[in-house]
Amino acid sequence: MKAGQRTVYVTLELKKDPPVMFVDQVESQPSMRSVVHDRYGPASKLWIKSIPHPICGPDEVLVAVRCVSVNPYDWHNMTGTPLPVRMSGGFRRPKESRLGVDVSGVVESIGANVRRFKVGDEVFGFADGCFAEFVCAKESELMSKPENVSFEDAAAVPVAALTAIHGLVTNANLGAGEHVLINGASGGVGTFAVQVAKDLGAKVTAVCGPTNGAMVADLGADQVIDYSKEDFTQNRDSYDVILDNVGNRRIRNYKRCLKPNGRYIVVSGPKGKILGPIGHMLKAMIGFKFGAQKAMVFMAQRTPKELEVIVDMLGSGRIKPVIERVFQFDEIAAALDHIETGRTRGKLVVTMTK
């Protein structure tokens, strides 16, 4: 459907003989480009389709999308793995044909109850189905984009930064002077976690690959461990908190390198079609069931308190995203393929503008 094309909605009344056609509504509805999928599978199954503009509710904001970022969350929804994804999103086929959650853009229109934003405001935040030219977002899940932050940087922030804050602040209650180890420090969550931990006054040990050590050190890590040369669970250091984005060690080994009252924060774990990271999370909960050491598993909530923290830290420069690459909109399949490798350096961003 092309922009401005008129759509005619009709109803067939089959009780009449012959059937009678009634014209219910005639309206002009513009179209937009959106990434869609009607079956689970690899990124090659996605396509860009022209669909009608979304219609927002009274508490929603219509955003003209400038940039989005790609997360493992999107890859799981695309592939339908692990199994629990299908239990909520559709077992045989996805209930929702659109993907994406991290967005930045400009307010195009607002619902009747929206008070925080006006048309033309620059915003970023969470909007399900944002791999498109326009998307509806809840007013409560959007934030005003700081003027000193680009659309690319803003789009890279929401999911990863919120996860880091929930892990280290809300769950671990990390304090100044404590020692935290971040396993998987060079990824999306990890790069923000290093910065959040330093902002809290903690000592940070970052675990990453040999090519990313200098980058995480520049973010503020006090010590960097190259996992290809050293197993952090086998050295003599002990930590108040471990934030784990990888789940590549046995639970008993994590426990051994935690202090007596240490906290093990599970963000993710190994992939798998049945349970995926959930399997590692369950093992952690069981393995830490007894004793003073605690394991914490969580789903980051889009609450106003944490969103305000994100805006403050981003605007003041206390956190900044690491962006490995910016893709064009028609390259979004390549971005999702790269996410699948698990080797992303920081974040991947997709721009709607050439």
Side-chain angles (χ1 to χ4, degrees), residues 38-96:
D38 61 2
R39 65 191 66 187
Y40 295 117
S44 60
K45 299 295 184 181
L46 301 176
W47 73 95
I48 297 176
K49 182 179 179 181
S50 181
I51 66 173
H53 271 215
I55 299 174
C56 296
D59 300 311
E60 294 182 318
V61 175
L62 180 64
V63 177
V65 178
R66 292 291 185 85
C67 295
V68 298
S69 68
V70 181
N71 294 289
Y73 174 87
D74 305 311
W75 181 86
H76 287 298
N77 284 330
M78 177 185 74
T79 59
T81 57
L83 185 60
V85 171
R86 300 192 182 215
M87 295 175 67
S88 60
F91 191 76
R92 298 188 64 183
R93 292 179 180 272
K95 294 178 183 177
E96 176 54 60

Side-chain angles (χ1 to χ4, degrees), residues 29 45 87 102 160 173 187 215 229 260 262 280 315:
Q29 187 174 5
K45 299 295 184 181
M87 295 175 67
D102 278 352
N173 193 27
M215 181 264 289
K229 297 180 178 179
H280 180 74

Side-chain angles (χ1 to χ4, degrees), residues 171-315:
N171 285 275
N173 193 27
L174 182 67
E178 290 194 302
H179 193 176
V180 58
L181 178 136
I182 300 169
N183 188 24
S186 61
V189 174
T191 50
F192 282 112
V194 171
Q195 298 172 79
V196 170
K198 288 305 296 181
D199 189 67
L200 293 171
K203 178 182 177 182
V204 179
T205 294
V207 181
C208 62
T211 61
N212 293 318
M215 181 264 289
V216 296
D218 287 343
L219 293 176
D222 300 286
Q223 178 185 6
V224 178
I225 294 177
D226 177 355
Y227 66 73
S228 68
K229 297 180 178 179
E230 180 182 351
D231 181 352
F232 69 88
T233 66
Q234 301 302 317
N235 61 32
R236 296 189 178 186
D237 291 333
S238 58
Y239 308 96
D240 298 284
V241 174
I242 295 176
L243 183 81
D244 191 9
N245 299 297
V246 187
N248 57 348
R249 297 290 184 269
R250 294 182 179 275
I251 298 301
R252 64 172 178 266
N253 291 339
Y254 288 113
K255 295 184 72 173
R256 183 174 60 244
C257 61
L258 273 175
K259 292 182 180 180
N261 293 308
R263 292 90 77 195
Y264 176 53
I265 312 299
V266 187
V267 174
S268 189
K271 293 180 180 178
K273 291 185 177 181
I274 304 302
L275 290 178
I278 297 174
H280 180 74
M281 294 175 180
L282 291 174
K283 291 179 182 177
M285 297 303 293
I286 294 170
F288 280 82
K289 187 174 182 179
F290 302 103
Q293 295 174 330
K294 300 297 180 185
M296 302 175 188
V297 176
F298 67 97
M299 291 288 291
Q301 302 298 313
R302 307 171 191 179
T303 56
K305 179 180 178 181
E306 280 76 13
L307 300 189
E308 290 173 3
V309 171
I310 289 175
V311 174
D312 179 56
M313 296 187 74
L314 182 63

Side-chain angles (χ1 to χ4, degrees), residues 16-38:
K16 302 289 185 180
D17 189 17
V20 179
M21 179 178 289
F22 297 98
V23 177
D24 289 338
Q25 182 182 4
V26 179
E27 66 177 21
S28 178
Q29 187 174 5
S31 62
M32 67 173 187
R33 293 184 302 157
S34 176
V35 172
V36 297
H37 71 146
D38 61 2

